[in-house]
């Protein structure tokens, strides 16, 4: 099975100036664990995860004043829709990631998460839906 079969094609995007509280509220409403951060000034595409927000709050930082750009991973490992799920899982394990941004033609086409891969590999389960709720956790 390929990444294109497992990934969510509905991707939450936020800007670098969003506060962490705004990003968290959007992620919660969409029931996703990561957002793509589009920041042309910082090299284009990054990712902000629930763990990034949790780490900031855990350090005592204020989610109403902390901006997404300060917590975005910009050294992103991107997946291709044509990768196998094994390749994606290997990249996640090697980098310690739970989400990979999927690029197609240089543009974000989706996100694949560990949960998406597990859904595909678990017996009797269907591949992840492309609805916004498919990227929880």
């Amino acid at each position: 099975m390929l990444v294109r079969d497992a990934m969510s094609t509905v991707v939450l995007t936020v800007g670098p100036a969003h506060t962490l509280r705004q990003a968290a509220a959007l992620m919660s409403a969409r029931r996703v664990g990561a957002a793509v951060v589009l920041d042309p000034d910082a090299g284009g595409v990054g990712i902000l995860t629930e763990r990034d927000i949790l780490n900031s709050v855990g350090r005592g930082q204020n989610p109403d004043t902390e901006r997404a750009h300060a917590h975005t991973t910009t050294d992103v490992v991107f997946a291709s829709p044509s990768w196998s799920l094994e390749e994606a899982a290997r990249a996640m394990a090697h980098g310690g990631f739970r989400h990979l941004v999927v690029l197609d033609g240089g543009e974000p086409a989706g996100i694949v998460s560990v949960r998406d891969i597990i859904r595909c590999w678990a017996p009797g389960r269907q591949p992840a839906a492309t609805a916004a709720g498919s990227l929880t956790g």
Side-chain angles (χ1 to χ4, degrees):
M1 186 171 283
L2 302 178
V3 165
R4 75 169 49 92
D5 302 318
M7 72 183 192
S8 174
T9 58
V10 179
V11 179
L12 173 63
T13 59
V14 298
H18 276 87
T19 66
L20 292 186
R21 184 174 308 278
Q22 290 170 323
L26 290 167
M27 290 165 67
S28 177
R30 297 277 292 278
R31 300 183 58 190
V32 298
V36 170
V37 181
L38 299 178
D39 187 357
D41 296 334
V45 178
I47 190 167
L48 179 72
T49 68
E50 59 199 358
R51 182 150 312 179
D52 297 324
I53 296 169
L54 179 69
N55 287 339
S56 174
V57 171
R59 288 191 297 268
Q61 296 174 331
N62 184 341
D64 291 315
T65 58
E66 288 295 311
R67 303 292 173 180
H69 70 83
H71 302 277
T72 298
T73 300
T74 55
D75 186 20
V76 179
V77 174
F78 297 105
S80 167
S82 62
W83 278 15
S84 70
L85 292 187
E86 289 82 3
E87 289 173 289
R90 203 170 15 259
M92 288 176 175
H94 182 262
F97 311 125
R98 293 185 299 151
H99 302 86
L100 293 175
V101 177
V102 181
L103 291 186
D104 192 9
E107 296 295 320
I111 291 184
V112 64
S113 71
V114 169
R115 184 169 289 176
D116 294 329
I117 293 172
I118 291 170
R119 276 192 195 110
C120 291
W121 285 349
R125 298 294 301 248
Q126 295 299 315
T130 57
S134 67
L135 282 178
T136 59

